C-alpha cells in the first residue's frame, strides 16, 4: 500500500487532466488528490496559462479594494432594489445626511417651541414643512452641490428614473417626520397632512424649472416666496389662510401644470435639459 | 509571520480575514490554477468560469473568518467555488450546460498509481464507475466527489431532487454489486 503523503500524481496524468483529455477515472483521482496536495497543485499551476488567471485576479483585486457600500445601500439591496438604483438612492440619502440633520433640527425646534407654549409655533411649522422636501431635492441635484454630478453625467441611466428615485428617497426620509410633528401642533389635524399639497407644488416647480435653471436658485425663490406668503397671511388675517381651499387648489394646479410640462419635456427630451 | 510565500494556507486565510491582500494574492496563486481546471471539467463556458473564480475569491476575502481551520483550505475553497458554479448556472438560465466527467473514454490500461489513487484494492471501482450510465455518474460526481447536497446537485444537474436521490441510490447499489462480483 502506497503512503498517501508521499504519493504524487504523475505528470502525464496531470497534463491530461489540465488539457481535458483524461478519462473520468483519472480526472476523479487527480481532482481528489490535488485538492489536498500542495506539490501537485504547483505542478498544475505550471501547466495552466497565466494570462486569463491574471485577468481574473485584477477583477478580484478591484472588487476587494472597492470601499464597502453603506448601510443604506445594503439595506436597499436586501429588500430587492437593483444595484444601480440602490447606489443612486443611497447616495441621495447618505450624501444628504447634513440636510437630514437640518430637517430633524428644524422639526425638533418646532416641537420644543410647542412644548414651551411658544407663540407663532404653528407659523414656524407652516413655514418649514412644505419647504423641507424642496430644500432636500434642490440639494440633491445640480452641478453646484451634487458630488455624483459628473458620475451621473457619464452614466447611461434613465434621467427620469434618477430624478424620481431621488425625490422619492427624500420624501420617504422627511415626509413621515414632518407629518408626525404636525400632529403635535395646536391646529386642526388636517394641517399635519395638508402641507403636502404646497410641498408637491413647490417640488414640481423646482424639478420642472431645473430644465432651465439651477435647482438651488429655484429653491431659493420658492423658499423666500413661501415665507413671505406666510408672514403676509399672518399679518393681515390668519396664517392658516395660506392653506385655504382656494390656495390649495392653486398649489394643486401648479403641481399638475409643472408635472405636465416636465413629462412633455421628457417625452421629447432635448439635450439642453440641465438634469442630463 | 515570515514572507507570505512561505506561510501555510491556514495562516494566509487568517491574514486575509485581517484584510491582507498580499495573503489573498498568494492563496490565489496557489489555488486558482487547479480550481480553474477543475471548473473547466464541469462547465464549457470560459466566461462563466472566470466569473465563478472571481466570485469565489471575493467571497473568500469577505468570509475568510468563516473558515473552520481544519487545514483543508483546498476543500473549503472548492466548496465555495462549486456552489458559486451551481448558482451561476442556475441564473444563466441553463444556456450553459454542466458537463459531467465522461467526455473522453478511459484508456484501456489503468496505471498502478491510478489504481492506488482510486483506492481500488479489490474489485475494480474504476471500471465499475465506468459502467454507470452518464446520468448516474454525474450524480455520484456531484454528491460524493464534489460534496454537494442533494438539493444543490439537483440544481447543478437541472433535475428534480427526488431524481438525484433515486439515481444516487441506484448508482451505489450498482457499484456495490459490481465490486462484489469483481471479488469472485
Amino acid at each position: 500500500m502506497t503512503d498517501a503523503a508521499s504519493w504524487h500524481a504523475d505528470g502525464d496524468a496531470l497534463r491530461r487532466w489540465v488539457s481535458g483529455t483524461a478519462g473520468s477515472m483519472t480526472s476523479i483521482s487527480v481532482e481528489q488528490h490535488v485538492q489536498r496536495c500542495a506539490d501537485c497543485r504547483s505542478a498544475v499551476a505550471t501547466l495552466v496559462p497565466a494570462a486569463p488567471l491574471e485577468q481574473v485576479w485584477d477583477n478580484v483585486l478591484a472588487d476587494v479594494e472597492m470601499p464597502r457600500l453603506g448601510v443604506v445601500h445594503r439595506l436597499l439591496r436586501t429588500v430587492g432594489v437593483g444595484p444601480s438604483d440602490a447606489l443612486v438612492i443611497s447616495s441621495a440619502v447618505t450624501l444628504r445626511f447634513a440636510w437630514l440633520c437640518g430637517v430633524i433640527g428644524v422639526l425638533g425646534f418646532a416641537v420644543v417651541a410647542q412644548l414651551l407654549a411658544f407663540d407663532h409655533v404653528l407659523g414656524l411649522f407652516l413655514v418649514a414643512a412644505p419647504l423641507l422636501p424642496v430644500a432636500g431635492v434642490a440639494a440633491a441635484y445640480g452641478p453646484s452641490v451634487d458630488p455624483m454630478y459628473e458620475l451621473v453625467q457619464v452614466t447611461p441611466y434613465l434621467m427620469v428614473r434618477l430624478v424620481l428615485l431621488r425625490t422619492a428617497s427624500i420624501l420617504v426620509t422627511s415626509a413621515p417626520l414632518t407629518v408626525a410633528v404636525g400632529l403635535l401642533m395646536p391646529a386642526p389635524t388636517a394641517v399635519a397632512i395638508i402641507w403636502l399639497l404646497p410641498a408637491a407644488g413647490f417640488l414640481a416647480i423646482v424639478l420642472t424649472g431645473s430644465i432651465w435653471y439651477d435647482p438651488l436658485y429655484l429653491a431659493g425663490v420658492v423658499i423666500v416666496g413661501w415665507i413671505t406668503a406666510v408672514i403676509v397671511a399672518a399679518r393681515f388675517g390668519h396664517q392658516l389662510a395660506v392653506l385655504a381651499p382656494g390656495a390649495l387648489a392653486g398649489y394643486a394646479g401648479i403641481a399638475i401644470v409643472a408635472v405636465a410640462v416636465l413629462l412633455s419635456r421628457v417625452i421629447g427630451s432635448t439635450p439642453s435639459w440641465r438634469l442630463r | 509571520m515570515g514572507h507570505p510565500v512561505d506561510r501555510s494556507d491556514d495562516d494566509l486565510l487568517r491574514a486575509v480575514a485581517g484584510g491582507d491582500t498580499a495573503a489573498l494574492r498568494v492563496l490565489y496563486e496557489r489555488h486558482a490554477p487547479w480550481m480553474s481546471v477543475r471548473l473547466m471539467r464541469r462547465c464549457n463556458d470560459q466566461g462563466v468560469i472566470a466569473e465563478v473564480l472571481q466570485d469565489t475569491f471575493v467571497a473568500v476575502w469577505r468570509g475568510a473568518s468563516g473558515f473552520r481551520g481544519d487545514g483543508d483550505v483546498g476543500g473549503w475553497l472548492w466548496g465555495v467555488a462549486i456552489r458559486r458554479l451551481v448558482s451561476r448556472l442556475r441564473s444563466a438560465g441553463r444556456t450553459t450546460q454542466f458537463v459531467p466527467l465522461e467526455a473522453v473514454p478511459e484508456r484501456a490500461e489503468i496505471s498502478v498509481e491510478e489504481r492506488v489513487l482510486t483506492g481500488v484494492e479489490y474489485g475494480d471501482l474504476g471500471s465499475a464507475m465506468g459502467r454507470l450510465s452518464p446520468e448516474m455518474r454525474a450524480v455520484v460526481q456531484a454528491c460524493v466527489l464534489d460534496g454537494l447536497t442533494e438539493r444543490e446537485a439537483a440544481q447543478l444537474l437541472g433535475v428534480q431532487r427526488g431524481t438525484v436521490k433515486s439515481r444516487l441510490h441506484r448508482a451505489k447499489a450498482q457499484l456495490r454489486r459490481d465490486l462484489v462480483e469483481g471479488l469472485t
Side-chain angles (χ1 to χ4, degrees):
Chain A
M1 183 79 200
T2 314
D3 183 4
S6 62
W7 188 90
H8 292 297
D10 70 86
D12 182 48
L14 287 180
R15 259 191 303 283
R16 283 187 295 121
W17 179 60
V18 170
S19 64
T21 53
S24 60
M25 289 321 296
T26 307
S27 295
I28 290 168
S29 307
V30 168
E31 287 178 2
Q32 295 301 309
H33 175 69
V34 159
Q35 184 175 312
R36 288 192 165 270
C37 175
D39 291 343
C40 290
R41 281 202 290 262
S42 348
V44 169
T46 61
L47 299 171
V48 178
L53 287 177
E54 282 308 311
Q55 208 173 342
V56 172
W57 168 253
D58 289 344
N59 293 340
V60 169
L61 202 61
D63 271 9
V64 157
E65 288 181 338
M66 197 171 76
R68 289 302 299 270
L69 295 155
V71 180
V72 176
H73 183 91
R74 272 176 281 151
L75 193 71
L76 288 167
R77 294 285 292 127
T78 53
V79 297
V81 178
S84 52
D85 286 354
L87 189 64
V88 165
I89 296 173
S90 62
S91 69
V93 174
T94 55
L95 295 171
R96 296 310 137 219
F97 181 68
W99 166 77
L100 191 59
C101 288
V103 170
I104 292 167
V106 169
L107 294 175
F109 180 67
V111 171
V112 169
Q114 151 78 0
L115 292 176
L116 297 176
F118 190 69
D119 271 356
H120 304 306
V121 60
L122 181 60
L124 186 63
F125 178 77
L126 267 183
V127 166
L131 297 181
L132 291 174
V134 174
V137 168
Y141 305 106
S144 48
V145 281
D146 191 355
M148 287 209 11
Y149 189 75
E150 287 75 20
L151 187 62
V152 164
Q153 278 191 312
V154 298
T155 308
Y157 201 84
L158 193 58
M159 209 53 220
V160 191
R161 193 183 171 84
L162 178 79
V163 168
L164 293 181
L165 280 173
R166 283 190 161 184
T167 305
S169 77
I170 279 156
L171 286 176
V172 161
T173 47
S174 72
L177 270 176
T178 315
V179 168
V181 170
L183 290 172
L184 295 170
M185 290 295 123
T189 314
V191 172
I193 310 293
I194 238 167
W195 64 268
L196 284 164
L197 214 47
F202 299 159
L203 264 182
I205 288 174
V206 170
L207 287 178
T208 307
S210 62
I211 295 171
W212 301 282
Y213 304 104
D214 188 328
L216 213 55
Y217 167 73
L218 290 163
V221 171
V222 166
I223 287 169
V224 171
W226 177 249
I227 292 174
T228 312
V230 173
I231 291 172
V232 168
R235 185 154 283 253
F236 298 103
H238 195 269
Q239 54 201 10
L240 280 180
V242 292
L243 294 180
L248 290 179
Y251 305 134
I254 289 172
I256 290 165
V257 169
V259 167
V261 171
L262 185 64
L263 287 181
S264 71
R265 193 69 184 207
V266 166
I267 290 163
S269 187
T270 64
S272 68
W273 196 22
R274 282 185 76 105
L275 282 180
R276 277 185 76 251
Chain B
M1 294 289 257
H3 194 267
V5 179
D6 307 322
R7 289 156 67 182
S8 75
D9 284 352
D10 285 57
D11 225 21
L12 288 170
L13 215 44
R14 268 190 294 277
V16 168
D20 183 350
T21 48
L24 185 69
R25 170 70 196 184
V26 177
L27 271 183
Y28 185 84
E29 280 171 7
R30 284 184 193 173
H31 293 281
W34 72 267
M35 287 168 71
S36 72
V37 175
R38 195 163 170 184
L39 286 168
M40 242 181 281
R41 298 287 83 83
R42 280 154 182 76
C43 171
N44 48 15
D45 187 324
Q46 291 288 342
V48 169
I49 290 170
E51 282 173 9
V52 167
L53 208 55
Q54 179 186 341
D55 287 357
T56 301
F57 278 88
V58 171
V60 165
W61 172 258
R62 305 219 164 116
S65 50
F67 179 60
R68 295 183 313 279
D70 59 2
D72 185 14
V73 173
W76 184 71
L77 288 173
W78 178 249
V80 176
I82 187 74
R83 280 168 183 82
R84 290 276 157 182
L85 181 65
V86 169
S87 56
R88 273 286 167 184
L89 289 182
R90 198 172 30 153
S91 64
R94 305 211 67 81
T95 48
T96 306
Q97 283 295 317
F98 172 74
V99 184
L101 288 173
E102 55 164 350
V104 183
E106 190 61 51
R107 286 179 307 170
E109 84 287 8
I110 298 174
S111 71
V112 179
E113 287 85 353
E114 282 166 0
R115 272 175 190 278
V116 174
L117 193 56
T118 49
V120 180
E121 290 183 70
Y122 48 81
D124 192 341
L125 183 58
S127 56
M129 281 284 283
R131 278 196 292 275
L132 290 176
S133 70
E135 292 81 14
M136 290 209 277
R137 212 182 308 145
V139 168
V140 170
Q141 183 197 342
C143 292
V144 180
L145 301 171
D146 285 339
L148 293 177
T149 64
E150 281 170 6
R151 195 168 56 87
E152 289 166 333
Q155 284 170 1
L156 181 64
L157 303 172
V159 297
Q160 294 293 313
R161 190 175 167 181
T163 312
V164 170
K165 214 184 179 86
S166 65
R167 279 183 191 168
L168 186 61
H169 186 76
R170 276 186 286 133
K172 281 179 177 170
Q174 187 181 330
L175 284 174
R176 201 176 299 123
R177 201 169 50 241
D178 278 13
L179 290 174
V180 169
E181 277 169 11
L183 265 180
T184 55

